[in-house]
């Protein structure tokens, strides 16, 4: 069974810093990898989706990379802002399932 | 347009009672998913509906859990004889097509079983 791990579990950074969140998965036979953001009391918001044939995707200050062969993905956030504070989840897609990591709780300190 | 909506937003029930959770997907989305998120844990896939195909129920934790979907619209997740370990946030998502496409999530239903 696919297992998805996210490190660190929690991260606090001062405003303006660049940061990297890590995601690893055990089975490289994936269709894609998605990064989501979860705010307290709200559902998930999709941030980036990387197809298995791609190596990275960018959206604004966010850049996600995928190394399928090594089972790793990173989410890079540039010039962090207090509004970026949330839990970030990665999820890998199989044929009929989506496996989530437990998330990294990010706090950006003003 | 409207996003995915879920009701109720919160539900408190007594152990042994049945509960029904509702999900309204984004109009036109053929795929619908249910997940469970226990406190401090990751999302756990429960069930996946794709169009008129038979749903993938491989993630349902026990036979107390069942889900239905009417065509490509509303879905209900039913938990019979609830147990305290069923307490969690139940999230619904939908996507335009297959599971490999971007999923849009609802705000969830927080279930507390006393």
């Amino acid at each position: 069974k696919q297992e998805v791990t996210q490190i660190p579990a929690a991260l606090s950074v001062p405003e303006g810093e660049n940061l990297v969140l890590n995601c690893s998965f055990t089975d490289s036979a994936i269709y894609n990898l998605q990064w989501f953001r979860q705010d307290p009391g709200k559902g998930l918001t999709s941030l980036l989706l990387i197809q298995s044939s791609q190596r990275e995707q960018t959206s604004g200050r966010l850049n996600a990379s995928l190394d399928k062969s090594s089972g790793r993905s990173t989410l890079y956030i540039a010039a962090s802002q207090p509004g970026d504070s949330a839990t970030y989840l990665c999820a890998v897609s199989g044929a009929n399932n989506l496996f989530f990591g437990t998330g990294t709780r990010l706090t950006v300190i003003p | 347009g409207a996003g995915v909506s879920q009701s109720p937003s919160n539900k408190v029930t007594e152990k042994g009672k049945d509960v029904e959770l509702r999900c309204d997907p984004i109009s036109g989305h053929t795929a619908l998913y249910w997940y469970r998120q226990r406190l401090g844990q990751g999302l756990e896939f429960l069930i996946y509906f794709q169009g008129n195909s038979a749903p993938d129920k491989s993630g349902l934790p026990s036979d107390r859990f069942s889900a239905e979907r009417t065509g490509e619209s509303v879905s209900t997740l039913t938990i019979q004889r609830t147990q305290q370990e069923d307490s969690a946030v139940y999230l619904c998502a939908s996507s335009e097509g297959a599971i490999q496409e971007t999923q849009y999530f609802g705000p969830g239903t927080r279930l507390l079983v006393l």
Side-chain angles (χ1 to χ4, degrees):
Chain A
K1 180 182 175 182
Q2 178 75 269
E3 293 185 4
V4 183
T5 304
Q6 291 187 246
I7 295 174
L11 180 64
S12 290
V13 299
E15 181 178 2
E17 271 202 8
N18 303 325
L19 60 101
V20 175
L21 308 180
N22 297 291
C23 173
S24 61
F25 47 95
T26 55
D27 186 349
S28 62
I30 64 170
Y31 282 79
N32 61 41
L33 183 144
Q34 300 182 54
W35 282 94
F36 293 88
R37 168 184 175 140
Q38 185 173 32
D39 293 279
K42 297 183 180 180
L44 278 67
T45 301
S46 180
L47 299 173
L48 290 164
L49 184 154
I50 310 176
Q51 300 293 348
S52 63
S53 59
Q54 297 175 320
R55 294 194 64 84
E56 68 176 339
Q57 280 286 336
T58 298
S59 176
R61 293 182 294 109
L62 304 180
N63 176 276
S65 68
L66 173 64
D67 184 343
K68 199 173 75 163
S69 60
S70 67
R72 296 177 188 273
S73 175
T74 61
L75 178 67
Y76 175 82
I77 303 177
S80 59
Q81 302 172 357
D84 295 332
S85 298
T87 296
Y88 290 80
L89 298 164
C90 73
V92 295
S93 173
N96 292 298
N97 208 331
L98 197 62
F99 297 92
F100 280 82
T102 52
T104 294
R105 189 171 66 253
L106 173 66
T107 303
V108 180
I109 304 165
Chain B
V4 178
S5 61
Q6 293 185 245
S7 61
S9 55
N10 293 280
K11 176 72 176 178
V12 180
T13 190
E14 294 179 348
K15 178 181 173 181
K17 296 284 181 68
D18 298 350
V19 295
E20 273 192 4
L21 312 180
R22 177 187 168 109
C23 173
D24 285 87
I26 293 173
S27 177
H29 280 193
T30 62
L32 185 147
Y33 318 82
W34 283 98
Y35 297 90
R36 177 171 70 176
Q37 187 175 30
R38 288 170 162 159
L39 187 64
Q41 298 186 21
L43 269 75
E44 179 185 3
F45 167 82
L46 296 179
I47 189 168
Y48 161 43
F49 294 90
Q50 174 56 270
N52 295 317
S53 303
D56 180 345
K57 303 181 181 180
S58 59
L60 293 178
S62 78
D63 59 8
R64 296 186 295 105
F65 287 72
S66 62
E68 293 183 352
R69 187 180 186 194
T70 305
E72 294 185 352
S73 60
V74 171
S75 175
T76 55
L77 176 68
T78 302
I79 309 173
Q80 295 178 308
R81 305 181 302 282
T82 51
Q83 303 294 313
Q84 289 181 334
E85 63 262 28
D86 298 334
S87 297
V89 176
Y90 290 83
L91 289 161
C92 174
S94 70
S95 65
E96 285 190 24
I99 198 168
Q100 294 82 15
E101 299 189 21
T102 298
Q103 295 188 19
Y104 298 86
F105 280 77
T109 293
R110 283 156 190 74
L111 174 65
L112 177 61
V113 182
L114 301 176

